[in-house]
Amino acid sequence: MPSPSPYRPRLGQHVVIIEDDEDQGRWATRCVTQWGSVPHRLSRPDDEALRHALRTRPDAVAVVSRDDIVALRYALLVEHITPGVRLVVTIFDRTVADEVARTVPNCTVLSTTDAIVPSLLASCLDPRYAMLQPAGDTVLGVRAVDGPTGWERLSRRALTAGGAVRSRTDPLGWIRSLGSSAKILLATFVGLLGVLALDTVLGVVVLHEHWPEALWNATRTLTTTGTSPAAEHAPSWYKVLTTASMLTVLALAALFTASLVDRLTGHRMTSILGARSIPRHHHVIVVGLGQVGLRLSIQLRALGVRVVALERDPAAACLPLAKALNIPVVQGRGGDRFLLKRVGVTRARALAAVSSDGLENIAVAVAARAIAPEQQIVLRAGGDEVTAESQSLFRIGAVCDVPRIVGAFVAACLLSSRPSGVFVTDGRPYALCPDNTLLCLDDWDTTDIPRSDQAAPAQQR
C-alpha cells in the first residue's frame, strides 16, 4: 500500500464556508466533510449572522463568491471579527486579489479562473490530456486515459503543432469573416479602383494619352477636381460612359467615406487586417468574454493559438481589456448560426462555450453541432441535471464541471493542502500537488496515485 501523501489534509478541523454561489459552496462543503472535517455553511449571511457563526473561533474560513466586491467585504469582515484566522477567498480580478492579499496577510487568494482554465485548455487543444498548465517555457500536461496516468512536460511548439498550420489563401473565407461595415468599405474601395482603372484605359485607348497622363486625368476625375482636356473632342459614347462613371464615383465615394468614418469613430472590436482580424483556420472560438473567457483567450494566445471571442453584451467589463490585448471580439449571440459561420466554426480547432449561463452554453453547443458535427466543443457547466440530461441525449461536448473543480480546490486550500491544480476526469476529481504527485480526491484518505516519477517515465516532447 502506498505511503500517505504529505499533502493530505489534517482531520477534525472546524471550518466556516461563506457563500453566495450555491453550487461551489455545496461542493466545497461536501469535500470538507468527506476529508474528515466539520464545515459550517453560511449562505449570504448578514453581519450579525456572521458574528454569531464566528463566536467560537474556527480553524479556517472560506469565502466563495462570484462577486469580487462581495468577497472582499466578507474577507475584511471576517478578519475584523476573528483577526489572524486562516482565510481562503475566491476572487476573479487580479487587482482585487492583490489588494486582499496585501490587506489581509493571513489570507490565501484563489483565482477561480486559474483553477478552471487548465482543464479548458486541455479540452480545447488536446483531449488526451485532463489538464494543461503553462509552466515557464513549457506546459505541464496530465495525460488521462481511463484516469490520469502521469504528467509530462511539453514544449509549447509541440502542443500547438496540430493547430499551427498556415492559413491557406481563402479570399472568400476572409470576406465572410467581415462585418457589414467592413464589407461595404471593401466593396466601395474596389469599386473606386475599378472606375480609376477604366478611366485610365479609356484615356490611353480613346484619347491617345500616355499612361501617366491618362492616370493623372483619371485621378482628377475620381477626386472631382477636373477632367482631361481631350475629353471635349471625344466621341459621344465616350462622354456618356464617363458621365455614368462620374455618377458612380459620386455614390461610391459617399459610401466609402461613411464606412470609413464609421470604422474610425465606432467601437469596433475587430479589424479588416492585422492582429484583431478574425482568424479563418485552426483557431479557437471562445463564446462568453467574462473573466474565464478572457483568461482562456489570453492563455491560448500565449501558446500561439489564434482566438476569436463572441460576446453578446456590448457593455461587458472585459471588452476594453480584450481590445487592449488585440483579441478580436465579435458582438452577438453565440447560438446564432449565421454568426458561428462568420467566425469559421467549420474550420476552427475548437469552440469553447464558457459564459456563466449554463443553458446558454448548451444552446451554443447545439447550434455549433448542427453546423459542424465533428467539431471539438467544450462547455463550462455547473454539473447540474440539465447538463447531465443533455449529455445523455446526444454528444454535446466536453464538459468542464466548474463548481466541482473550484469547490475541491477551495476545500483543499481550506484544510491546509494547497494543490497546484485540480481537474475532473472520468467523473472523479484529482489534484496535482506541488511535487507533481497526482492524487484522487475521492479516495484522499485511503488511496494515493503513485508519483509519476515512480511510474513509467513519460515521454519528453
Side-chain angles (χ1 to χ4, degrees):
M1 180 176 179
S3 59
S5 168
Y7 297 100
R8 187 171 58 189
R10 293 185 290 109
L11 305 180
Q13 299 186 66
H14 170 63
V15 300
V16 174
I17 299 176
I18 304 168
E19 62 166 53
D20 67 0
D21 188 314
E22 183 177 352
D23 291 334
Q24 294 179 10
R26 182 178 68 250
W27 275 108
T29 302
R30 179 181 300 183
C31 291
V32 168
T33 303
Q34 181 180 349
W35 299 337
S37 292
V38 180
H40 182 192
R41 186 177 172 192
L42 300 174
S43 180
R44 301 180 181 87
D46 57 22
D47 293 5
E48 187 60 32
L50 185 58
R51 290 178 184 276
H52 181 74
L54 298 178
R55 70 187 186 282
T56 302
R57 185 182 179 89
D59 294 296
V61 178
V63 179
V64 183
S65 174
R66 289 189 178 184
D67 190 321
D68 288 351
I69 302 303
V70 171
L72 174 61
R73 181 185 180 277
Y74 275 129
L76 296 177
L77 185 58
V78 169
E79 175 64 15
H80 175 71
I81 297 173
T82 54
V85 70
R86 190 168 72 252
L87 186 59
V88 176
V89 184
T90 62
I91 290 181
F92 282 94
D93 188 83
R94 287 185 172 176
T95 303
V96 179
D98 293 341
E99 181 63 20
V100 173
R102 184 187 65 82
T103 306
V104 188
N106 51 291
C107 177
T108 300
V109 180
L110 301 181
S111 171
T112 307
T113 53
D114 288 345
I116 303 167
V117 166
S119 297
L120 294 173
L121 276 178
S123 298
C124 289
L125 299 182
D126 195 336
R128 295 175 301 172
Y129 294 92
M131 67 173 290
L132 293 171
Q133 188 165 282
D137 294 333
T138 62
V139 177
L140 190 66
V142 177
R143 185 177 288 275
V145 180
D146 298 327
T149 57
W151 58 271
E152 304 174 8
R153 286 202 177 273
L154 312 172
S155 69
R156 299 193 178 201
R157 183 185 296 263
L159 179 64
T160 58
V165 180
R166 293 285 184 181
S167 299
R168 59 182 182 272
T169 303
D170 183 13
L172 293 179
W174 173 61
I175 293 174
R176 282 193 298 266
S177 69
L178 301 177
S180 300
S181 176
K183 287 179 180 178
I184 293 174
L185 182 66
L186 179 64
T188 53
F189 181 70
V190 171
L192 291 172
L193 290 181
V195 173
L196 178 66
L198 176 63
D199 284 349
T200 302
V201 170
L202 290 176
V204 172
V205 175
V206 178
L207 304 181
H208 306 292
E209 298 173 336
H210 295 293
W211 73 265
E213 184 179 359
L215 177 61
W216 183 61
N217 287 325
T219 304
R220 293 177 64 199
T221 302
L222 191 70
T223 56
T224 66
T225 59
T227 59
S228 172
E232 298 180 3
H233 307 289
S236 298
W237 66 266
Y238 173 84
K239 294 180 179 179
V240 172
L241 183 58
T242 53
T243 298
S245 70
M246 285 188 286
L247 293 175
T248 301
V249 164
L250 186 65
L252 291 177
L255 288 174
F256 179 80
T257 302
S259 300
L260 184 60
V261 170
D262 178 64
R263 292 201 64 83
L264 292 178
T265 60
H267 299 285
R268 302 287 173 181
M269 298 296 295
T270 60
S271 59
I272 298 177
L273 298 171
R276 283 196 289 122
S277 62
I278 298 176
R280 300 183 295 282
H281 296 281
H282 305 288
H283 56 290
V284 175
I285 302 170
V286 178
V287 182
L289 198 67
Q291 291 282 355
V292 174
L294 179 63
R295 193 69 57 84
L296 177 61
S297 300
I298 292 173
Q299 290 283 17
L300 287 168
R301 287 278 296 269
L303 292 174
V305 178
R306 295 205 66 187
V307 178
V308 59
L310 303 183
E311 173 56 50
R312 65 186 304 174
D313 183 7
C318 291
L319 287 179
L321 184 55
K323 186 173 182 178
L325 295 173
N326 286 328
I327 296 174
V329 182
V330 179
Q331 294 185 358
R333 190 172 63 87
D336 186 339
R337 295 183 58 171
F338 295 101
L339 187 60
L340 290 175
K341 289 180 179 179
R342 177 188 165 190
V343 297
V345 68
T346 57
R347 304 178 300 278
R349 185 172 185 176
L351 179 145
V354 294
S355 72
S356 58
D357 188 339
L359 290 177
E360 179 66 21
N361 292 338
I362 294 176
V364 171
V366 172
R369 186 67 69 201
I371 302 172
E374 301 303 320
Q375 182 58 269
Q376 174 68 14
I377 298 176
V378 184
L379 282 84
R380 171 189 175 182
D384 50 20
E385 293 182 359
V386 174
T387 304
E389 291 170 358
S390 301
Q391 276 190 292
S392 66
L393 292 176
F394 64 98
R395 187 168 63 91
I396 194 172
V399 175
C400 178
D401 193 341
V402 172
R404 195 171 187 184
I405 293 173
V406 176
F409 207 160
V410 169
C413 295
L414 191 60
L415 301 181
S416 303
S417 178
R418 179 71 184 268
S420 300
V422 173
F423 58 93
V424 175
T425 182
D426 294 331
R428 306 187 74 187
Y430 294 85
L432 178 67
C433 294
D435 64 350
N436 294 333
T437 302
L438 291 173
L439 304 174
C440 178
L441 299 184
D442 278 348
D443 305 322
W444 206 336
D445 292 331
T446 57
T447 304
D448 288 344
I449 298 175
R451 292 167 56 110
S452 60
D453 56 1
Q454 296 172 350
Q459 180 181 0
Q460 177 77 23
R461 297 192 177 185

